Amino acid sequence: MLLNRRYLRIVLFFGRVVLSIIFWDLLLRRLGLGSLARRTAQARYTAAARRFRNVAIRMGGVLIKVGQFLSARVDVLPEYITEELSGLQDEVPAENFSHIKTVVEAELKGTLAEKFASFDKTPLAAASLGQAHRATLPTGEKVVVKVQRPDIERIVEIDLAALRTVVSWLKRYRPISRRADVGALLAEFSATLRDELNYVAEGQNAVRFAEIFNGNPGVRIPKLHPGHSTLRVLALEDVYYIKITDYAAITAAGIDRADVAERLFHTYLYQIFAVGFFHADPHPGNLFVEPANDEHDWRLIFVDFGMVGQITPAVRAALREAAVAVGTRDPARLVHSFVAVNAILPNADVERIIQAETAVFDRFWGKSMKELRQTDPAEMRKFMHQFRDLMFELPFQVPENLIYLGRTVAILSGMCTGLNPDFNLFISITPFAQTLLA
């Protein structure tokens, strides 16, 4: 009964949001009341974001992940929306410790006193699928123990069923359905989410990342403790330092925030283009900055390896072409890389898209994220009028095999902009593009 009620609450919430958008942003505009819709937009969307945050905090599960993704999009979404949702990075309610204790002891087949020298009852962090506790092993090693929430598998399945209902509505809306197979995207999301519930696989991912960055002194990956890890419990070395969005603490530690943005960006370029295996959940709760000491300079730390992405050689080659195209201001090369990964609808006018990309490079190439966000609306209107045929057709689609790469890059863009409002994608990617060309 409770799970059925959960399903209905999710469906009804999104149903109200969809109806509100239809009324304010479609119907009123067609009736000539677009100015009223624009005047009230900020208040309406702020209220909707607040309602979503409250629902997600109360219900947890998949809704938290949706909100965390949206809250990191400071490069695209208005600040009043991301500010409302940002609490979802820290406000997830903790599970009752007695429930956590039961899971740990059942999984490790022994009492906490037998398996740990100490185990902090207060969680270090609470997430949508589980929570983390600091502990000390009998050997004296400091670890963070990640424990799944009780009954989380059933909750996830209910949430996914509700999202399937919402997706069935979206599939009826032609502007969305012609650009993305939303059913396939949800299936991909569901499969990845279920993978996150397998802590054995996550431990293996941590080991693989440690091997990837073994020779990089600027990146740290926590060590796995397999003797204290199972399908639902994961013990990793304690590497929690300064949260990457704690800008004041980063500055107080004598670390340049712009340097952190650059290292974060280039670390991801390496994962995506050189290795083809990347950490696909770069939200602020999973990235830390370790201050310098006598042994080493400051280090970028990754935690939570449940969500990873893999890129086939063919797709990686196309992405490299895209990186080179951006770095060398080559619009034709960029558009053809889009074609190679099926990001452009069949029968689209490729030459017209190249003309639009040429105009984009001419007007916006070299600008920082801050400058792009402050672009004069009149300039944007002029651009959209010039290419109004493309604006109407929008000949792009979302390839299902790139959903998590797109999500990762979107969040990464927001995080780099937050660290350094003057972060310049074009300048940052140019040396990498030159290396690829060489």
Side-chain angles (χ1 to χ4, degrees), residues 108-382:
L108 300 185
K109 296 179 171 53
T111 65
L112 287 185
E114 292 170 342
K115 297 296 181 179
F116 299 94
S118 67
F119 196 102
D120 192 347
K121 293 183 178 181
T122 302
L124 175 65
S128 55
L129 306 183
Q131 62 190 50
H133 292 256
R134 277 196 160 108
T136 305
L137 299 181
T139 58
E141 294 172 281
K142 304 294 184 182
V143 295
V144 171
V145 183
K146 184 176 173 182
V147 187
Q148 278 185 23
R149 293 177 180 270
D151 210 27
I152 189 62
E153 296 93 341
R154 292 179 63 198
I155 291 173
V156 164
E157 293 305 323
I158 288 292
D159 289 2
L160 292 177
L163 291 180
R164 282 194 293 272
T165 298
V166 176
V167 163
S168 70
W169 302 339
L170 298 178
K171 288 165 72 173
R172 300 169 187 264
Y173 186 48
R174 180 64 178 163
I176 291 178
S177 63
R178 70 187 290 264
R179 291 175 186 84
D181 185 343
V182 286
L185 295 180
L186 179 59
E188 180 77 9
F189 173 74
S190 302
T192 303
L193 193 59
R194 293 182 183 110
D195 287 343
E196 285 193 74
L197 296 173
N198 183 345
Y199 284 1
V200 172
E202 181 175 344
Q204 294 170 344
N205 291 337
V207 171
R208 183 172 179 184
F209 277 111
E211 294 170 350
I212 289 170
F213 291 107
N214 184 43
N216 188 334
V219 176
R220 184 176 180 184
I221 306 296
K223 170 188 171 185
L224 171 70
H225 291 273
H228 288 74
S229 301
T230 69
L231 189 66
R232 302 180 66 200
V233 172
L234 179 67
L236 293 171
E237 176 187 12
D238 187 350
V239 290
Y240 279 63
Y241 287 91
I242 301 172
K243 192 175 179 179
I244 200 165
T245 50
D246 190 346
Y247 305 138
I250 291 174
T251 302
I255 301 169
D256 189 332
R257 285 167 48 186
D259 289 344
V260 177
E262 287 295 322
R263 184 173 297 181
L264 176 64
F265 182 69
H266 285 281
T267 298
Y268 266 94
L269 287 181
Y270 177 73
Q271 292 175 62
I272 293 166
F273 293 101
V275 183
F277 181 76
F278 61 95
H279 183 283
D281 199 15
H283 75 72
N286 291 341
L287 289 160
F288 297 87
V289 176
E290 178 186 4
N293 60 31
D294 294 338
E295 297 179 4
H296 56 74
D297 194 4
W298 71 271
R299 293 190 285 188
L300 179 65
I301 296 174
F302 290 80
V303 301
D304 199 335
F305 307 96
M307 189 182 293
V308 298
Q310 301 195 54
I311 304 173
T312 65
V315 171
R316 189 164 45 172
L319 293 174
R320 287 185 175 199
E321 284 292 293
V324 170
V326 172
T328 59
R329 301 177 64 174
D330 188 338
R333 193 170 191 167
L334 179 61
V335 172
H336 287 300
S337 72
F338 291 162
V339 172
V341 294
N342 299 316
I344 293 179
L345 290 170
N347 304 318
D349 186 345
V350 173
E351 291 305 314
R352 182 61 172 158
I353 298 174
I354 291 174
Q355 293 174 17
E357 291 288 359
T358 301
V360 168
F361 279 146
D362 289 343
R363 297 183 185 188
F364 306 116
W365 198 95
K367 291 188 176 183
S368 69
M369 293 294 185
K370 182 178 180 180
E371 291 171 324
L372 289 172
R373 293 174 69 185
Q374 294 175 346
T375 300
D376 187 343
E379 185 176 2
M380 290 303 300
R381 285 195 295 270
K382 181 179 178 182

Side-chain angles (χ1 to χ4, degrees), residues 84-116:
E84 278 295 335
L85 297 176
S86 63
L88 290 175
Q89 305 291 352
D90 303 297
E91 294 177 353
V92 183
E95 187 68 47
N96 187 293
F97 181 72
S98 64
H99 299 159
I100 293 296
K101 180 174 180 287
T102 298
V103 173
V104 174
E105 293 183 338
E107 289 291 308
L108 300 185
K109 296 179 171 53
T111 65
L112 287 185
E114 292 170 342
K115 297 296 181 179
F116 299 94

Side-chain angles (χ1 to χ4, degrees), residues 17-34 37-38 44-45 173-176:
V17 172
V18 170
L19 289 175
S20 175
I21 292 173
I22 290 173
F23 176 77
W24 286 97
D25 297 318
L26 295 178
L27 181 60
L28 288 191
R29 290 179 190 274
R30 289 185 178 182
L31 294 175
L33 298 174
R38 287 191 293 273
R44 288 187 288 106
Y45 285 115
Y173 186 48
R174 180 64 178 163
I176 291 178

